[in-house]
């Protein structure tokens, strides 16, 4: 415990803590108000799913630049420039008609992708400089932000605060956090850009492809909860906005607690066991969520799903840093690119299923993907997922 409370470690954790926390507030404030945004746009879930596809398109176009921008500006400056841009876009998403929503959501995905690469580089740099594992803990502050944001969002919605006002408040918090990081943290040491000319898109090698397959099932469940979790609580369980925010908070509590202890668990249990436990927790949570009408069991299901998906991306990042070849920024960009391409059709597909079948079916179709993550767990330690003995 002494190592966790050393002042120097706390100061090095300050930048990712503030950045991940405020980014999560911004994110969850937007996604928990999607039902009201959908109503104002006067569109159905299938169309909303297609509109949400604009952010992955932005991600795709940003990834060739993410590593280069981060290397040129340094991770610290990149993060504190990109997050305010995202923040200023989000209130517009609550005001504009459908074409404007699609364009601004595209820009949101574009700039947020560059921010994500920079934020992960900040955490990776802390681990490299101090020798202390903080990657999972850094993502844990994202989960804490989700918890605070979802509870606040439910309360503000119940009190009749408009989504525009709420998103403006979240944007102000994100900008203030970036200003604090800028004022209190020293600049990163500048380094020369590599002389070798790089291709536009960093193609993933076999290792990164396997890592993406390993976490694919867990990552799309996380996306499904973000996109359709509030819809499920409001329409299937018929809960009011305040209770929906409270139940959604159970998901963020599970994610946050697991991430805060994730670095210790990674040391003690190993990555393979963690991936398999994560897959089991997510599968059990999904089955429980769609089969219950009780609020307490629904909260427990969301808590389990939060625990299960918590370490997927941190483990993918850690494995990429440990096993990847070449520059870390390019490997992380390739990881993000591959995950984005593999999940790009998921929002419209799940939106189509939600509109024409049911919201329960939206989650049940993800179970086979979760099984794939369970089977691919050995990749987390650089091992082959399937071993066959020679006769």
């Amino acid at each position: 415990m002494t190592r966790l409370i050393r002042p120097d470690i706390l100061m090095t954790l300050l930048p990712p803590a503030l950045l991940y926390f405020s980014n999560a507030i911004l994110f969850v404030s937007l996604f928990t108000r999607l039902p009201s945004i959908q109503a104002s746009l006067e569109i159905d879930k299938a169309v909303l799913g297609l509109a949400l596809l604009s952010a992955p398109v932005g991600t795709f176009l940003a990834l060739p630049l993410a590593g280069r921008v981060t290397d040129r500006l340094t991770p610290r400056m990149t993060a504190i420039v990109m997050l305010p841009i995202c923040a200023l876009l989000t209130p517009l998403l609550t005001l504009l008609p459908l074409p404007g929503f699609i364009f601004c959501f595209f820009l949101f995905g574009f700039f947020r992708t560059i921010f994500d690469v920079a934020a992960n580089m900040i955490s990776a740099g802390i681990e490299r400089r101090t020798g202390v594992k903080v990657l999972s803990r850094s993502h844990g502050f994202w989960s804490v932000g989700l918890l605070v944001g979802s509870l606040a969002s439910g309360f503000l919605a119940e009190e009749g605060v408009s989504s525009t006002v709420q998103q403006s408040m979240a944007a102000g918090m994100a900008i203030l956090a970036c200003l604090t990081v800028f004022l209190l943290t020293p600049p990163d040491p500048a380094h020369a850009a590599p002389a070798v000319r790089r291709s536009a898109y960093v193609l993933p090698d076999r290792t990164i492809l396997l890592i993406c397959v390993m976490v694919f099932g867990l990552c799309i469940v996380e996306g499904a909860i973000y996109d359709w979790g509030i819809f499920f609580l409001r329409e299937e369980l018929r809960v009011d906005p305040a209770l929906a925010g409270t139940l959604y908070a159970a998901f963020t509590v599970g994610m946050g607690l697991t991430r805060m202890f994730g670095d210790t668990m990674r040391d003690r249990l190993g990555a393979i066991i963690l991936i398999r436990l994560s897959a089991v927790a997510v599968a059990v949570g999904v089955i429980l969520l769609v089969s219950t009408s009780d609020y307490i069991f629904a909260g427990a299901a969301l808590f389990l799903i939060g625990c299960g998906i918590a370490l997927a991306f941190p483990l993918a990042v850690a494995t990429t840093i440990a096993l990847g070849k070449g520059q870390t920024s390019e490997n992380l960009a390739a990881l993000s690119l591959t995950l984005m391409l593999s999940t790009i059709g998921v929002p419209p597909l799940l939106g189509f299923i939600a509109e024409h079948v049911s919201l329960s079916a939206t989650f049940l179709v993800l179970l086979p993907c979760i099984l794939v993550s369970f089977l691919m767990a050995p990749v987390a330690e650089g091992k082959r997922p399937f071993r066959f003995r020679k006769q």
Side-chain angles (χ1 to χ4, degrees):
M1 289 297 294
T2 304
R3 190 173 67 170
L4 297 179
I5 60 175
R6 275 171 44 194
D8 58 328
I9 298 300
L10 290 178
M11 283 305 297
T12 55
L13 273 174
L14 178 65
L18 288 174
L19 293 172
Y20 278 96
F21 178 84
S22 57
N23 180 34
I25 294 285
L26 195 68
F27 180 88
V28 78
S29 295
L30 177 63
F31 277 80
T32 52
R33 298 305 290 266
L34 275 182
S36 63
I37 294 173
Q38 179 200 3
S40 67
L41 292 173
E42 299 181 345
I43 57 177
D44 61 25
K45 295 182 185 67
V47 175
L48 179 62
L50 287 171
L52 294 177
L53 187 61
S54 58
V57 174
T59 295
F60 178 75
L61 295 178
L63 283 170
L65 304 174
R68 298 181 185 186
V69 171
T70 302
D71 287 340
R72 180 63 60 88
L73 297 181
T74 75
R76 170 181 170 270
M77 281 304 300
T78 302
I80 61 180
V81 168
M82 296 301 159
L83 188 57
I85 295 175
C86 295
L88 294 173
L89 285 169
T90 55
L92 297 177
L93 292 168
T94 67
L95 292 170
L96 295 174
L98 184 60
F101 176 90
I102 292 173
F103 179 67
C104 283
F105 204 54
F106 160 80
L107 293 177
F108 180 77
F110 182 91
F111 291 109
R112 190 168 174 270
T113 298
I114 301 176
F115 166 80
D116 284 341
V117 171
N120 280 297
M121 288 289 292
I122 289 172
S123 297
I126 292 172
E127 290 196 347
R128 185 172 59 253
R129 291 192 305 269
T130 66
V132 179
K133 288 186 171 66
V134 298
L135 189 58
S136 180
R137 222 173 312 172
S138 298
H139 284 267
F141 289 107
W142 157 272
S143 304
V144 174
L146 289 183
L147 170 61
V148 174
S150 59
L151 290 174
S153 184
F155 172 78
L156 293 173
E158 187 68 17
E159 293 297 311
V161 176
S162 71
S163 55
T164 304
V165 172
Q166 178 182 327
Q167 206 59 49
S168 298
M169 294 166 59
M173 179 178 292
I175 293 171
L176 181 61
C178 290
L179 180 61
T180 303
V181 172
F182 177 74
L183 293 175
L184 296 185
T185 59
D188 291 332
H191 59 278
V196 179
R197 186 174 181 178
R198 296 185 256 181
S199 62
Y201 283 92
V202 183
L203 298 178
D205 58 20
R206 180 177 179 274
T207 299
I208 291 176
L209 287 174
L210 288 174
I211 293 169
C212 290
V213 174
M214 176 185 71
V215 299
F216 172 77
L218 304 180
C219 288
I220 61 172
V221 173
E222 180 178 6
I225 293 293
Y226 292 146
D227 292 347
W228 307 110
I230 289 292
F231 285 96
F232 183 89
L233 295 172
R234 295 288 301 276
E235 297 181 17
E236 296 292 320
L237 296 185
R238 307 290 181 182
V239 302
D240 58 52
L243 182 55
T246 302
L247 291 175
Y248 191 90
F251 166 73
T252 66
V253 169
M255 186 194 301
L257 287 175
T258 305
R259 281 181 170 170
M260 287 301 182
F261 294 100
D263 296 309
T264 301
M265 294 165 64
R266 186 166 32 133
D267 280 338
R268 295 185 178 179
L269 299 178
I272 295 177
I273 293 177
L274 282 183
I275 288 290
R276 285 181 171 162
L277 287 175
S278 297
V280 170
V282 171
V284 172
V286 167
I287 294 170
L288 179 60
L289 180 65
V290 301
S291 61
T292 186
S293 59
D294 184 270
Y295 299 159
I296 294 177
F297 284 118
L302 288 168
F303 178 82
L304 273 176
I305 295 173
C307 291
I309 62 94
L311 300 181
F313 192 70
L315 282 172
V317 171
T319 306
T320 299
I321 292 171
L323 303 179
K325 301 177 179 65
Q327 286 192 287
T328 300
S329 60
E330 291 194 342
N331 288 332
L332 291 177
L335 175 72
S336 299
L337 171 64
T338 310
L339 277 175
M340 185 276 297
L341 289 176
S342 65
T343 60
I344 194 169
V346 173
L349 173 62
L350 296 184
F352 179 85
I353 295 172
E355 184 65 31
H356 298 286
V357 184
S358 70
L359 284 162
S360 295
T362 297
F363 292 101
L364 287 174
V365 297
L366 304 178
L367 289 175
C369 300
I370 299 169
L371 176 61
V372 171
S373 291
F374 181 91
L375 296 175
M376 295 292 291
V379 172
E381 294 183 1
K383 300 176 182 177
R384 300 179 65 177
F386 305 103
R387 291 183 178 179
F388 300 96
R389 291 183 178 179
K390 294 183 179 181
Q391 300 295 331

